[in-house]
Amino acid sequence: MQEITQLHAIFDRTRGYINHFMGIIQPIIDAAQDEHTRLYYHHILEEEEQRLGRLQELIPYLEKVSEKETLAELSDRELSQMLSDVNLERFGLHNFREHLELSLYEFQDEETRQTLDGMREKTHADYLQVKEIMASLSERFSDGSRPDLTDHDEGHDIHQVDHLKASASAANGVASVIKHSAPAKAVSGKKGLTVGSLKGL
Amino acid sequence: MQEITQLHAIFDRTRGYINHFMGIIQPIIDAAQDEHTRLYYHHILEEEEQRLGRLQELIPYLEKVSEKETLAELSDRELSQMLSDVNLERFGLHNFREHLELSLYEFQDEETRQTLDGMREKTHADYLQVKEIMASLSERFSDGSRPDLTDHDEGHDIHQVDHLKASASAANGVASVIKHSAPAKAVSGKKGLTVGSLKGL
């Protein structure tokens, strides 16, 4: 059950990152001088809120599963559903990495940039680890039909770009007009109808 | 089963829209002069590719369900899973609407702007209809625990903004340097591991 414990740790960490990231981005939305900037960061935040909603259901579920003696205690259907949910969050980690990279182009102050880049680096490592764990789990439990775990972003040069470096010379964004001395507001995850909340239907 | 037929039609339409949208956006990525612009549109396209992958599984499933005599032929678990999948795509429609709105700020030519705005308008209507259908389905089939179908974006003024109007005076984006006379390239949906493809595990 080591893999399930690892998955639990990864998604618990990324949940913390979402909250941290929201605290960094919300002031940009509040200070935005035009509708495009406002929509842009609002959109990114909304996607992360949706991810947070799903994780709020997945994390306790993984915790419960990790307490079992063996994965054999799950039915085929439960196992398949769990892998499917984890796979959705594998994409979620990938997309979060890109949200972090995109945000690097907004911030000029070194402290925020290092925070974003640190989360980016760890998120990418977590993404790769989830991929490995899924390969291992599906190998042991599938009926022979192995999932295709190829990076779906393979062949896209953009993923080889060092965005920390590339963003260093980017034009000042709206972030330059907000006060960085103010403590980042923690945004409470507004919870609407989530995939997970429907599971109890 | 009228609702299932409606859902099928909505997701079939949005699948067509994704392909159309990809054809409009790919030239922007190809013509991008800086890494930020490239990453930005690449990111949007990747999210739509992920959605396309999920829809490729959901649409045939809905078609199969729509052929049944009654939803009572589905087990509670199957119904709950279907509602959960549809709900994820409800968020998907919402996010697609925002991708379309964000793209309005890139294009200056009236034809592309009208195409994007037309898809935006229909996508928003589809989003609202999916919400209504879900309310109806969950009312009839839930065990009393009604899902919270509040718009999770409620209270965000940004959704009241007319982005077609707001984007009319936006600065020229990279779109202004690409040839609009060239037929939009259809991008084949690169299919990696999708949630749906795992269902067969």
Side-chain angles (χ1 to χ4, degrees), chain B residues 34-154:
Chain B
D34 62 276
E35 298 297 357
H36 182 233
T37 303
R38 200 131 47 110
L39 178 64
Y40 178 55
Y41 287 105
H42 164 81
H43 172 70
I44 287 177
L45 232 59
E46 255 184 355
E47 288 187 345
E48 293 302 333
E49 273 182 7
Q50 292 164 17
R51 189 164 76 97
L52 188 59
R54 296 194 305 265
L55 290 171
Q56 303 286 34
E57 308 287 329
L58 182 61
I59 292 168
Y61 181 76
L62 289 174
E63 190 169 13
K64 215 175 67 184
V65 172
S66 72
E67 288 161 2
K68 293 185 188 294
E69 285 289 313
T70 155
L71 275 184
E73 288 181 40
L74 294 181
S75 70
D76 281 358
R77 193 188 283 271
E78 284 167 337
L79 182 65
S80 162
Q81 185 57 46
M82 186 183 75
L83 282 175
S84 176
D85 289 346
V86 168
N87 194 48
L88 182 64
E89 300 317 324
R90 182 172 75 91
F91 287 126
L93 286 169
H94 172 85
N95 296 345
F96 182 47
R97 173 192 155 177
E98 292 188 346
H99 288 161
L100 290 162
E101 286 175 338
L102 285 166
S103 302
L104 276 173
Y105 289 88
E106 189 66 46
F107 291 91
Q108 306 303 310
D109 70 298
E110 216 34 54
E111 194 186 331
T112 306
R113 289 172 58 74
Q114 289 302 330
T115 301
L116 291 170
D117 196 56
M119 290 198 282
R120 181 206 61 76
E121 196 169 343
K122 191 67 189 160
T123 297
H124 183 58
D126 282 345
Y127 164 76
L128 293 177
Q129 205 191 342
V130 169
K131 206 175 118 181
E132 265 180 39
I133 292 173
M134 285 197 67
S136 156
L137 287 178
S138 61
E139 193 173 305
R140 281 156 55 196
F141 294 97
S142 85
D143 54 1
S145 62
R146 302 271 288 280
D148 175 10
L149 279 161
T150 313
D151 273 323
H152 90 305
D153 47 47
E154 217 169 50

Side-chain angles (χ1 to χ4, degrees), chain B residues 24-28 30-32 107 173-181:
Chain B
I24 292 173
I25 296 301
Q26 187 62 49
I28 301 282
D30 297 341
F107 291 91
V174 64
S176 59
V177 306
I178 62 172
K179 279 185 246 161
H180 285 296
S181 52

Side-chain angles (χ1 to χ4, degrees), chain A:
Chain A
M1 304 302 283
Q2 198 195 341
E3 286 100 336
I4 306 299
T5 308
Q6 286 171 334
L7 288 174
H8 180 269
I10 286 171
F11 292 125
D12 195 44
R13 170 167 45 245
T14 201
R15 176 167 60 179
Y17 281 3
I18 293 175
N19 282 312
H20 195 162
F21 180 67
M22 282 176 158
I24 292 173
I25 297 301
Q26 187 61 49
I28 301 281
I29 298 173
D30 298 339
Q33 303 293 308
D34 62 277
E35 298 297 357
H36 182 230
T37 304
R38 199 133 45 111
L39 178 64
Y40 177 54
Y41 287 105
H42 164 82
H43 172 70
I44 287 177
L45 232 59
E46 256 183 354
E47 288 187 345
E48 293 301 333
E49 273 182 7
Q50 293 164 15
R51 190 164 75 99
L52 188 59
R54 296 194 307 264
L55 289 172
Q56 302 286 33
E57 307 287 329
L58 180 61
I59 292 169
Y61 181 76
L62 290 174
E63 189 169 12
K64 214 176 66 183
V65 172
S66 72
E67 288 161 3
K68 293 186 189 292
E69 285 287 314
T70 154
L71 276 183
E73 289 181 41
L74 295 181
S75 70
D76 281 358
R77 193 188 281 273
E78 285 167 336
L79 182 66
S80 163
Q81 186 56 47
M82 186 183 76
L83 283 175
S84 176
D85 289 346
V86 168
N87 195 48
L88 183 64
E89 300 317 325
R90 180 172 76 91
F91 286 128
L93 286 170
H94 173 84
N95 296 346
F96 182 46
R97 172 191 156 176
E98 292 187 346
H99 289 161
L100 290 163
E101 285 175 339
L102 285 165
S103 303
L104 276 173
Y105 288 88
E106 190 66 46
F107 290 93
Q108 305 301 312
D109 70 297
E110 218 33 54
E111 193 185 332
T112 306
R113 289 171 58 74
Q114 287 303 329
T115 301
L116 292 169
D117 195 57
M119 290 198 282
R120 181 205 60 76
E121 196 169 343
K122 190 68 189 160
T123 297
H124 184 56
D126 282 345
Y127 164 75
L128 293 177
Q129 205 190 344
V130 169
K131 207 176 118 181
E132 265 180 39
I133 293 173
M134 286 197 66
S136 156
L137 287 178
S138 61
E139 193 173 304
R140 281 158 53 197
F141 294 97
S142 86
D143 54 1
S145 62
R146 302 270 290 280
D148 175 8
L149 279 160
T150 312
D151 273 324
H152 89 305
D153 46 47
E154 219 170 49
H156 289 298
D157 294 344
I158 195 77
H159 292 297
Q160 304 311 318
V161 173
D162 179 344
H163 292 287
L164 181 64
K165 205 170 152 189
S167 65
S169 56
N172 278 3
V174 66
S176 59
V177 306
I178 64 172
K179 279 185 246 163
H180 285 296
S181 52
K185 273 198 296 188
V187 177
S188 67
K190 275 188 49 182
K191 186 115 183 300
L193 175 60
T194 64
V195 175
S197 70
L198 270 166
K199 285 187 180 156
L201 281 182

